[in-house]
Amino acid sequence: MLVSPRDILLPAFAQGRLVGAFNTGNLEMTRGIIRAAEQLQTPILLQIAEKRLPHSPLHLMAPMMVAAAQQASIPVAVQLDHGECPAIIEQAAQAGFTGLMFDGSHMPLHENIARTQAVRERYAELWLEGEVGVLGGSEGGPEAEALHTCSAQAEQYAAESGCDCLAVSIGNAHGLYQGIPKLNFAVLEEIRRRLPDMPLILHGGTGIPACDLQRAAALGICKVNIATASFAALRKAAAAAEGDYFAMSEAMVQAVCDSTLEILQSL
Ligand code: 13P
C-alpha cells in the first residue's frame, strides 16, 4: 500500500520507534527490500538518491518503486533522497512519490532555507525532509568534511523552511565506517531540546550498532537511512552467483532481503 511518509513516521516519532528507509538502485534491490518488510509486516520507506540516477534513471525506477509500494501488503512510502535539482524533484512528484528530501546542507543556511521553502510551496501536499549539517562520506563530494549540525541553525531552519522532518549530522556518515561510529549524542540532545516536536532523521545507517540506534530513537530520531548494506549485499551475491541469469537475479533479491531483515530486526 502506497502511503505518505507522514503516516509511517509520525506514529513512530510519537512512540520513540525507528522506521527503516531503504535506498534502491534496481529491480532486485526493490524486490528484496519489499520482501523483507512483508515478511516482518513492517512499514518502510523506499527511497532513491538523486546521485544514483545516472545509473538508475528515474523515469524507469519511479514507476517500478511506486508500483512495488502500491502492491505491497504493508504500508510503503516512496521518497526521493538527497534531491536538489528542481527538474528531478518535479519528476519524482509527477511520478507519484509521496515524500521528497531537499538536501541543501552544503549551502549557506539562508540559501538552504530559501530553496527548501520553494520546494515546500510547490509541493505542499508532499512530506518534506530537510537537512542541516554535513555528513562525512560522500554526501558533499569525496572531499566533504563532516560538520555537526548546529542546534541554533537547526532551530532557525525548522522555523523558516517549512520542512516536516530534519536530517542531522552527529558523527554519522554515508558509506562504510572506519571502525565503530561515534555518534555525538550531546549534539542530538541539544537539537532535541530546541526542537522537541520535530521528527529527526539519521542518514548513514549502515554499520551503526543497534544500541546506538535505540539511544538515538529515544532522542527523537524516527527514521534511519540504509543504502550501503543493501548495495554491498547485492554486489556480493552477484559476484558469487552461479548458474543462469535467473538464478543470479533471485540470489540478489534474497541477499538484499536477508540484509534488510537483519537491519529491520535490529530497529
Ligand atoms: P549508508 O549508505 O551509510 O547506509 O547511508 C544511506 C543514506 O544515508 C542514504 O541517504
Side-chain angles (χ1 to χ4, degrees):
M1 188 197 341
L2 176 66
V3 300
S4 166
R6 178 180 289 109
D7 302 332
I8 301 176
L9 295 180
L10 289 185
F13 179 64
Q15 294 159 20
R17 279 191 293 108
L18 272 171
V19 172
F22 295 88
N23 284 20
T24 182
N26 69 11
L27 171 70
E28 283 80 7
M29 290 182 80
T30 305
R31 292 187 63 215
I33 291 162
I34 299 282
R35 187 182 285 181
E38 285 188 327
Q39 269 178 35
L40 297 177
Q41 285 294 296
T42 306
I44 56 159
L45 277 79
L46 184 65
Q47 306 187 143
I48 187 161
E50 188 175 296
K51 74 169 184 193
R52 302 278 181 206
L53 300 181
H55 302 281
S56 310
L58 195 58
H59 70 281
L60 300 175
M61 291 297 297
M64 175 181 66
M65 292 167 67
V66 169
Q70 284 168 337
Q71 287 164 36
S73 65
I74 33 102
V76 178
V78 179
Q79 177 160 306
L80 178 68
D81 192 29
H82 295 290
E84 184 180 341
C85 168
I88 298 292
I89 294 172
E90 174 68 19
Q91 201 184 347
Q94 290 292 337
F97 278 32
T98 50
L100 301 170
M101 180 199 184
F102 178 75
D103 183 0
S105 58
H106 54 287
M107 300 170 184
L109 184 65
H110 67 87
E111 190 182 343
N112 189 4
I113 290 173
R115 297 273 307 269
T116 310
Q117 278 171 346
V119 177
R120 169 77 298 158
E121 278 161 28
R122 184 161 172 79
Y123 308 102
E125 74 289 1
L126 297 186
W127 179 261
L128 180 58
E129 177 178 331
E131 180 172 335
V132 174
V134 177
L135 265 62
S138 59
E139 185 167 51
E143 73 293 346
E145 286 283 321
L147 197 65
H148 286 182
T149 303
C150 162
S151 59
Q153 288 197 356
E155 193 175 7
Q156 188 184 343
Y157 180 87
E160 297 176 14
S161 70
C163 72
D164 295 307
C165 65
L166 179 68
V168 296
S169 172
I170 56 165
N172 45 322
H174 289 130
L176 293 174
Y177 292 94
Q178 312 280 346
I180 297 179
K182 286 195 185 62
L183 297 189
N184 190 331
F185 288 102
V187 170
L188 182 58
E189 259 179 66
E190 181 56 18
I191 298 167
R192 169 72 159 169
R193 195 184 62 74
R194 287 182 183 249
L195 294 171
D197 299 325
M198 176 61 69
L200 302 175
I201 310 298
L202 194 65
H203 285 238
T206 301
I208 297 181
C211 57
D212 280 357
L213 291 177
Q214 295 312 327
R215 205 172 152 192
L219 291 169
I221 298 284
C222 63
K223 170 167 89 83
V224 59
N225 280 14
I226 306 288
T228 300
S230 312
F231 280 89
L234 181 101
R235 207 197 72 78
K236 202 168 153 199
E242 289 174 5
D244 60 16
Y245 166 77
F246 303 103
M248 181 175 83
S249 172
E250 173 53 26
M252 290 192 282
V253 173
Q254 192 54 46
V256 173
C257 174
D258 291 344
S259 161
T260 307
L261 280 174
E262 195 182 321
I263 290 161
L264 285 174
Q265 280 164 333
S266 76
L267 298 183

